[in-house]
Amino acid sequence: GKGFAVVASEVKDLAQETAKATEDIGARVAAIQQDTGGAVEVITRISEVIAQINDFQTTIASAVEEQTATTGEMSRSIGEVSNGSARIATNISDVATASATSKEGVEQTRQASAEVARTAEDLRGLVSAFKY
């Protein structure tokens, strides 16, 4: 009888400790579940931020691509303007050359006219000497 009472008391104490341990484990599991829920919320927010960053990167990449295209178009236009300016400079040089050639022709014509005038004057003098 007395030994059975000691064993029963030990079993009762062991049952109480088991209940306390089970309660403690339950509380810890609940705390872990709560922490896991918080972690899931944080991960969800991080995922949203990453998605926003991805959207921003896409927008920036699009803007950079558009800027690159615009810069290329500007460069092409500047090249065309440069080529046009070079053609204009060549044309101006050609006009200057033609003008110089015309000036030389006019000077030669003036000299020839002066020579013809002198010759005509000489002929008049000769013709007037032969009067009868």
Side-chain angles (χ1 to χ4, degrees):
K2 195 174 186 189
F4 182 74
V6 170
V7 170
S9 174
E10 287 294 321
V11 168
K12 181 181 171 190
D13 289 344
L14 187 57
Q16 286 176 346
E17 285 181 34
T18 301
K20 284 181 187 175
T22 302
E23 191 177 304
D24 184 48
I25 290 171
R28 289 182 185 197
V29 167
I32 290 171
Q33 287 175 337
Q34 187 176 2
D35 289 346
T36 301
V40 167
E41 277 185 40
V42 169
I43 289 171
T44 300
R45 280 191 244 139
I46 289 171
S47 294
E48 290 170 357
V49 169
I50 288 172
Q52 287 177 339
I53 289 171
N54 186 42
D55 290 344
F56 292 149
Q57 285 178 330
T58 301
T59 302
I60 290 169
S62 179
V64 166
E65 185 177 329
E66 187 176 322
Q67 185 66 35
T68 300
T70 301
T71 302
E73 184 63 27
M74 288 172 63
S75 177
R76 188 185 64 76
S77 295
I78 289 170
E80 287 177 6
V81 167
S82 176
N83 289 339
S85 295
R87 285 193 303 270
I88 289 171
T90 299
N91 290 341
I92 289 172
S93 176
D94 291 346
V95 167
T97 301
S99 178
T101 302
S102 294
K103 180 182 173 195
E104 287 175 20
V106 167
E107 181 61 27
Q108 288 174 355
T109 301
R110 188 192 63 74
Q111 287 174 358
S113 293
E115 183 120 358
V116 167
R118 275 191 303 266
T119 303
E121 194 60 38
D122 290 345
L123 281 174
R124 260 187 241 144
L126 287 174
V127 169
S128 67
F130 287 111
K131 281 199 176 175
Y132 17 156

